[in-house]
Amino acid sequence: MSAFTEVLKTSPEYMTLEKAVKDRNLPVGVLGVSGVHKAHLVNSLCGNLDRRALVIMPDEAAATKFCEDLCTFGKNAFLYPARDFSFSSAENRSHEYEQRRINALTNILNGTADVVVCSAEAAVQRTIPPKDLKKHSLTIKRGEDIKLSDITSVLLSSGYTRADMVEGVGQFSVRGGILDLFSPDDQNPVRIEFWGDTVDTMAHFDITSQRRTDNVDKLTLMPSTEIVFSGNDELIKKITEFYDTVKGKGAKKAREMLQNDIDRLKNGVNLSSADKYLPLAYDENATVLSYADSLLLFVCESAGVKEKANAAIKLQNEDIKYLLEEGELCRGLDEFTMSFPELTREYEKKDTVFLDDFARGSFDVPVRDLITFTASTLPSWNGKLDVLLDDLSPLVQKDSAVVVMGGTEKAAKNLAEDLENEDIPALYFPLEPAEFPRGRVSVLPGALSGGFGYPHEKFYTFTYGRNAVASKKRKARSGFKKGQSLHSLDELKRGDYVVHSLHGIGVFDGINKLEVGKITKDYIKIKYAKGDVLYVPVTQLDLVSKYIGPHEDDGRTVKLNKIGGKDWEKTRNKVRAAVKDMADQLIALYSKR
């Protein structure tokens, strides 16, 4: 047990809630809890009852914040993001969101995810069923006999891309008897060396230096995409069988589309619009909720979840209606989300707890009990000691427990010393203790989305603002010339230099809503040399990274690339050649060993 899970052990409201979950007297509704209180309740119930959970939030921003709070509380939490389906052959396709989704689903199956958090939109989207995710995975053990060609066949059929050198998730490369690959559920790529048909060694390696790090005894490869066929032959067969069933209005356009895809596949061309064939890939419809049969299900702000889910379903249906008219889709290839009534039926089947801030009428399904917590929200600390002292002084009493999340380890240590110097009894804990002492301030590293308290339990937590902590970390790293991948649009501001993997260095010029073929989406606007402009769908954020090379601040001019120019390709080729030479040298060295 940890100190945060012990906080509410004597709370009558919490004991009632815990008993309802234990006795499966569910669904149950909980009121009076804000975002960080919700995360604390999920952390407490999962910790005290040894349960895992799926949490549904209204939108992705709230889900991301909730996931970060759970990680701060010590939970192994994963975000299951929403994704854009690619139905048109004209669209470029990024697998980043699929790979993050597969990572979350895999960790549910493996039992390594304490909590998975998703938005309402992600919750209703169809995905690969659990039995098929297991079926298309492959476990490799050091010392076992398995042909390299068999592994590469599995990788290709599971959505991996063959490359000269592994540079990202979902790629693999082969050099002689050495296989490099990057599975979506792994933090780093793995290098496998064969002795004939025997797996001799396996180890993680660093993409930049190509040097091996820790050894691996067993590796499980998960699919790199959510739509998996055993190969192009199976996909051709499925499309051909479906082709014969297409009749009625729009059948001519639909058959032309299907035949074009069949021809592409027969010519060895992979489909960028394979998402449309999700209904043909599996025998059953599945969502992330299909993985949650043994999990607690928390629905946070149920009215917001309903609104966002219905909005996402409506937008998807409008897109599908247009694509049906254009012949890009057809009847039978038009269901990619569950309906909201289907979602509410899942609420009734699962061990569901509704967590709401305020009462807003009834919940989406009848609840067996309604529990109201008395909880307070505390402001984030801005880093000024005098402000914190004013907040702490009236609360530090013999029978109260006060916690301050101080940001970085160094800042938290210094804060504990500063409080002692101001005659505020304080203890620094590098890790969360088993129990928070009463009558003293417990200072921990880390940050939450906000401060929170339970007045009846005389427990209060203040936190240094998470944005301030992230800003300090970025500032401390600014002199280190390392590529900075983007995980959120919040990391960019207008005027920042960015690098697109295909087009090179440009200037970020904000987010624009554009309508393409009657479908409205958000696009990142990037300005290039000679007035060129590139619009990148926000779902392809993985193609864009922050520029970290020589800067005006260093007295050097940043040269923008031109779309379609050869300068960027030359730069990429030079870097690839240099890294390839390094990799070849290391591989030769490993072979001698």
Side-chain angles (χ1 to χ4, degrees):
M1 295 297 174
S2 65
F4 278 117
T5 61
E6 296 290 307
V7 168
L8 292 172
K9 274 296 190 72
T10 59
S11 162
E13 294 82 10
Y14 177 78
M15 288 190 286
T16 301
L17 175 59
E18 189 177 279
K19 186 176 187 304
V21 175
K22 273 184 182 177
D23 297 342
R24 301 194 70 180
N25 187 32
L26 302 168
V28 65
V30 175
L31 300 176
V33 286
S34 67
V36 69
H37 293 103
K38 293 182 180 75
H40 180 246
L41 274 179
V42 171
N43 174 66
S44 299
L45 286 169
C46 290
N48 292 327
L49 299 178
D50 195 23
R51 295 288 300 270
R52 298 186 298 135
L54 172 66
V55 180
I56 303 178
M57 303 294 294
D59 55 54
E60 201 108 314
T64 301
K65 188 184 294 184
F66 198 96
C67 192
E68 290 171 348
D69 281 343
L70 286 170
C71 290
T72 300
F73 284 130
K75 285 286 177 278
N76 192 26
F78 292 82
L79 178 69
Y80 179 80
R83 57 167 292 203
D84 268 358
F85 288 94
S86 177
F87 300 128
S88 172
S89 56
E91 290 184 77
N92 289 321
R93 190 178 183 193
S94 168
H95 291 297
E96 181 202 6
Y97 286 86
E98 281 183 274
Q99 290 158 353
R100 289 171 63 188
R101 285 156 65 96
I102 288 169
N103 183 29
L105 298 178
T106 300
N107 280 279
I108 295 177
L109 288 181
N110 293 343
T112 50
D114 295 326
V115 185
V116 169
V117 189
C118 69
S119 65
E121 181 181 7
V124 298
Q125 290 179 334
R126 304 289 186 195
T127 187
I128 181 171
K131 67 180 180 66
D132 290 286
L133 185 56
K134 291 178 183 176
K135 172 185 169 184
H136 290 288
S137 65
L138 174 67
T139 299
I140 304 171
K141 297 178 181 178
R142 187 167 62 85
E144 77 169 332
D145 291 335
I146 184 171
K147 290 183 178 180
L148 176 57
S149 58
D150 290 344
I151 298 177
T152 56
S153 295
V154 170
L155 291 171
L156 288 169
S157 66
S158 297
Y160 286 76
T161 303
R162 187 163 187 158
D164 292 333
M165 182 175 62
V166 171
E167 296 177 310
V169 174
Q171 295 181 341
F172 76 95
S173 68
V174 179
R175 292 190 186 91
I178 296 176
L179 169 66
D180 290 349
L181 58 91
F182 204 153
S183 179
D185 64 324
D186 215 338
Q187 296 297 314
N188 291 293
V190 172
R191 177 163 292 146
I192 305 174
E193 298 182 38
F194 288 82
W195 183 264
D197 289 336
T198 302
V199 176
D200 187 30
T201 63
M202 295 195 297
H204 288 113
F205 69 92
D206 181 80
I207 286 181
T208 305
S209 68
Q210 293 290 306
R211 293 183 181 277
R212 291 190 296 183
T213 53
D214 54 305
N215 290 324
V216 177
D217 291 323
K218 186 171 81 170
L219 173 69
T220 300
L221 301 179
M222 306 308 295
S224 182
T225 63
E226 292 178 71
I227 301 164
V228 183
F229 294 90
S230 60
N232 280 354
D233 289 343
E234 185 196 4
L235 180 52
I236 291 170
K237 180 184 176 184
K238 290 279 183 81
I239 298 174
T240 303
E241 290 172 352
F242 179 75
Y243 180 97
D244 295 333
T245 68
V246 177
K247 297 176 182 177
K249 185 180 178 181
K252 183 179 178 182
K253 274 188 177 182
R255 288 189 170 192
E256 286 177 1
M257 175 270 293
L258 294 170
Q259 189 59 55
N260 287 337
D261 283 350
I262 290 171
D263 293 340
R264 287 192 189 99
L265 290 167
K266 285 182 176 179
N267 290 325
V269 178
N270 290 325
L271 302 180
S272 61
S273 55
D275 287 348
K276 71 176 74 168
Y277 295 115
L278 174 60
L280 303 184
Y282 309 115
D283 297 331
E284 61 179 289
N285 290 328
T287 66
V288 65
L289 288 142
S290 306
Y291 291 75
D293 288 343
S294 63
L295 275 58
L296 285 173
L297 175 63
F298 293 93
V299 182
C300 299
E301 299 304 320
S302 55
V305 168
K306 180 178 181 179
E307 178 188 350
K308 295 293 185 180
N310 281 326
I313 293 166
K314 181 181 178 182
L315 182 61
Q316 177 85 288
N317 289 339
E318 288 174 356
D319 290 351
I320 289 172
K321 181 181 178 182
Y322 168 74
L323 292 168
L324 287 170
E325 293 171 355
E326 293 297 306
E328 291 283 357
L329 292 177
C330 61
R331 295 301 173 191
L333 300 179
D334 57 353
E335 290 188 13
F336 303 93
T337 58
M338 66 161 61
S339 65
F340 187 74
E342 287 178 295
L343 179 59
T344 58
R345 285 196 288 274
E346 291 291 335
Y347 293 168
E348 294 174 315
K349 293 177 190 175
K350 303 285 191 290
D351 292 344
T352 303
V353 179
F354 294 98
L355 300 176
D356 277 17
D357 197 344
F358 304 107
R360 294 182 176 85
S362 61
F363 294 99
D364 298 309
V365 298
V367 295
R368 297 188 179 183
D369 198 359
L370 188 63
I371 305 164
T372 302
F373 278 76
T374 301
S376 58
T377 301
L378 303 176
S380 293
W381 174 47
N382 63 4
K384 293 183 178 179
L385 184 61
D386 57 337
V387 174
L388 183 62
L389 290 172
D390 288 342
D391 290 333
L392 290 178
S393 296
L395 299 177
V396 181
Q397 301 168 8
K398 287 184 179 180
D399 57 349
S400 66
V402 180
V403 178
V404 178
M405 308 298 294
T408 64
E409 287 186 20
K410 183 179 179 181
K413 280 182 184 177
N414 291 339
L415 176 60
E417 293 175 4
D418 291 341
L419 291 175
E420 283 285 344
N421 293 335
E422 296 290 339
D423 296 325
I424 300 286
L427 288 172
Y428 169 71
F429 293 99
L431 298 172
E432 186 181 340
E435 185 178 359
F436 291 123
R438 298 272 166 175
R440 302 181 77 93
V441 176
S442 300
V443 183
L444 281 72
L448 293 164
S449 60
F452 68 100
Y454 299 102
H456 290 171
E457 287 67 42
K458 295 189 176 180
F459 177 83
Y460 307 92
T461 295
F462 293 87
T463 182
Y464 193 37
R466 184 178 283 146
N467 290 338
V469 175
S471 175
K472 282 194 172 185
K473 287 183 178 178
R474 283 195 294 270
K475 187 175 180 181
R477 290 197 302 262
S478 62
F480 185 61
K481 302 303 181 185
K482 182 179 178 182
Q484 294 181 358
S485 58
L486 293 169
H487 302 288
S488 167
L489 292 172
D490 294 336
E491 298 176 40
L492 287 176
K493 62 180 185 292
R494 195 182 297 269
D496 282 350
Y497 289 105
V498 294
V499 181
H500 189 282
S501 61
L502 298 179
H503 303 292
I505 302 169
V507 177
F508 173 66
D509 195 38
I511 307 296
N512 290 257
K513 282 189 179 295
L514 299 178
E515 184 176 306
V516 180
K518 296 185 180 179
I519 298 174
T520 302
K521 293 183 180 179
D522 288 329
Y523 289 81
I524 302 166
K525 182 180 179 182
I526 303 175
K527 289 183 176 180
Y528 284 90
K530 298 188 178 180
D532 290 347
V533 175
L534 177 69
Y535 290 96
V536 182
V538 294
T539 52
Q540 295 181 16
L541 188 62
D542 57 316
L543 299 178
V544 181
S545 58
K546 267 193 171 181
Y547 172 78
I548 45 80
H551 212 276
E552 280 96 340
D553 295 343
D554 306 321
R556 302 176 68 176
T557 303
V558 180
K559 182 181 178 182
L560 300 184
N561 292 115
K562 183 178 182 298
I563 293 179
K566 296 183 179 180
D567 288 348
W568 178 244
E569 189 59 35
K570 287 179 182 177
T571 302
R572 292 179 69 195
N573 289 337
K574 284 180 183 178
V575 173
R576 280 178 175 166
V579 177
K580 186 175 183 297
D581 288 344
M582 183 188 297
D584 290 340
Q585 291 171 18
L586 289 171
I587 289 168
L589 179 62
Y590 295 149
S591 299
K592 289 178 182 178
R593 291 178 181 174

